[in-house]
Amino acid sequence: MSAPRTAGRTPPTRTLPPPDAPAAPVRKTGRREPAGRPRRSRRGHRWFTPWLYLIAPLAFLVTFTCVPVFSLLSYSLTDWDGLSPTSAYVGLENYTELFTRPQLFRVFWVSLFYLAGSAVQIGLALYFATVLSFNTRLRNLFKGILFFPYLINGVAIGFVFLYFFQPGGTLDTVLHWVGAGPHLWLGDPDLVNTSLAGVSVWRFMGLNMVLFIGAIQSIPAELYEAAALDGASRWQQFRHIIAPSIRPVVSLSVILAVSGALSVFEIPYVMTGGANNSQTFVIQTIKLAFNFNKTGLASAAAVVLLVFVLLITWLQRVLFPDERVEQS
């Protein structure tokens, strides 16, 4: 056999790219694509994927928030008794009646007692949160004790404090030991709102305390160590480190306190039913709807309360804007 003929053939030559040419992109298969060819993105075919996860939350939001709000607005423009299948459109007459009857807005004075109680509540919660954030003996036990009232149902709390404030009850027995006489805590118009506001302070202080503790524990420990080396006392650490750092959480607590003071319902409703000048705006709205069958007027009152809460929240944000705290 003759050998293969290779003489006279020129081997193929490979042209090298210039040194400054961009490298060709590499696929996952290891093969190199020619430079300049755009890579096809598969993300463009899945733009709707995030919306699949948002379907359920948006459905709940529309069903339980948007639809009730629009229904409330539509009811506030009618003269509906809440039972008949038809209702008469009256326009803004319900709002006119609300603002031309001062007795419907006198109940807002009761909210001032709860607003004052909220200030006491935030102050106590801030104090206990600061103390329990440092090395204190049995601090977890005290955290649980102070937070426990918030876990109890509001109706149950109302019935418990009915026995606490009744004549000759627990409070009068304790005061008798120090020589103080009995009082009509829920029957005296001068004491009833103070007593109810005290119950509200006892119940909601634990929630604010937990919020403050979480904010305080997020502060870097190096700041406390540097302050201790500089000889700063606990009060100076609170004033210059803790207070500026938890300002957004305090602002949130103030918003919750104001909205809660305007919409107090379950504790005074269970304990007094709104008697002895303890009627709040929400209790009055409930009575308009179910006792006097004025659902249209009650809906207008609910819309006014919603606007008040939103307006106060907006004013609080404008007057006391959140400042970004740089922890260094």
Side-chain angles (χ1 to χ4, degrees):
M1 297 179 59
S2 61
R5 300 177 60 184
T6 57
R9 292 187 179 180
T10 304
T13 59
R14 299 179 60 183
T15 305
L16 297 177
D20 56 347
V26 181
R27 291 182 178 178
K28 291 184 179 180
T29 56
R31 294 182 299 178
R32 302 177 68 88
E33 293 182 354
R37 179 183 296 179
R39 184 179 179 182
R40 183 179 299 175
S41 176
R42 297 182 181 179
R43 283 183 152 181
H45 302 285
R46 299 179 181 178
W47 60 268
F48 56 87
T49 302
W51 294 99
L52 295 178
Y53 295 96
L54 292 175
I55 289 177
L58 289 177
F60 282 112
L61 178 65
V62 172
T63 304
F64 297 105
T65 301
C66 298
V67 173
V69 168
F70 284 110
S71 300
L72 185 68
L73 291 173
S74 63
Y75 292 152
S76 67
L77 302 176
T78 62
D79 185 15
W80 186 42
D81 59 1
L83 298 175
S84 60
T86 59
S87 58
Y89 178 79
V90 295
L92 299 178
E93 289 185 9
N94 290 325
Y95 296 96
T96 304
E97 183 177 357
L98 277 177
F99 287 98
T100 54
R101 293 172 59 183
Q103 62 270 23
L104 296 179
F105 282 92
R106 288 175 185 170
V107 293
F108 275 119
W109 291 105
V110 178
S111 299
L112 296 179
F113 289 91
Y114 295 95
L115 190 60
S118 299
V120 176
Q121 166 189 312
I122 292 176
L124 291 175
L126 190 56
Y127 170 77
F128 285 115
T130 304
V131 172
L132 297 177
S133 295
F134 294 103
N135 293 327
T136 306
R137 295 183 60 184
L138 302 177
R139 59 177 179 175
N140 291 330
L141 175 63
F142 288 112
K143 290 178 184 178
I145 292 175
L146 294 174
F147 183 69
F148 179 73
Y150 180 72
L151 302 178
I152 306 176
N153 183 268
V155 177
I157 290 177
F159 282 112
V160 168
F161 275 91
L162 273 177
Y163 293 97
F164 182 80
F165 285 120
Q166 71 178 356
T170 306
L171 183 57
D172 283 343
T173 302
V174 174
L175 293 178
H176 179 70
W177 294 343
V178 296
H183 299 279
L184 295 176
W185 299 101
L186 301 179
D188 189 349
D190 297 330
L191 295 176
V192 60
N193 290 315
T194 304
S195 303
L196 296 175
V199 177
S200 181
V201 170
W202 178 80
R203 183 189 179 192
F204 293 102
M205 186 193 65
L207 174 63
N208 289 292
M209 183 197 68
V210 169
L211 294 176
F212 293 153
I213 288 177
I216 292 173
Q217 290 180 347
S218 65
I219 301 175
E222 292 80 4
L223 298 180
Y224 297 111
E225 296 175 0
L229 292 176
D230 293 338
S233 62
R234 292 296 189 190
W235 165 249
Q236 292 174 332
Q237 292 180 18
F238 172 81
R239 180 181 177 184
H240 298 287
I241 298 177
I242 296 177
S245 301
I246 66 173
R247 191 178 303 165
V249 181
V250 174
S251 176
L252 173 63
S253 298
V254 171
I255 294 176
L256 294 177
V258 173
S259 60
L262 293 175
S263 58
V264 176
F265 170 66
E266 55 186 3
I267 290 179
Y269 186 78
V270 171
M271 297 182 66
T272 64
N276 300 322
N277 295 331
S278 64
Q279 181 170 267
T280 62
F281 191 80
V282 178
I283 294 178
Q284 177 180 263
T285 303
I286 295 296
K287 289 184 177 181
L288 287 174
F290 298 101
N291 293 3
F292 301 101
N293 294 330
K294 295 184 177 181
T295 304
L297 183 61
S299 301
V303 172
V304 171
L305 178 61
L306 176 63
V307 172
F308 279 175
V309 172
L310 295 177
L311 180 61
I312 292 175
T313 304
W314 177 75
L315 288 176
Q316 193 270 342
R317 289 293 187 183
V318 172
L319 298 177
F320 305 99
D322 291 339
E323 299 179 1
R324 187 177 181 85
V325 179
E326 298 293 339
Q327 297 176 347
S328 58

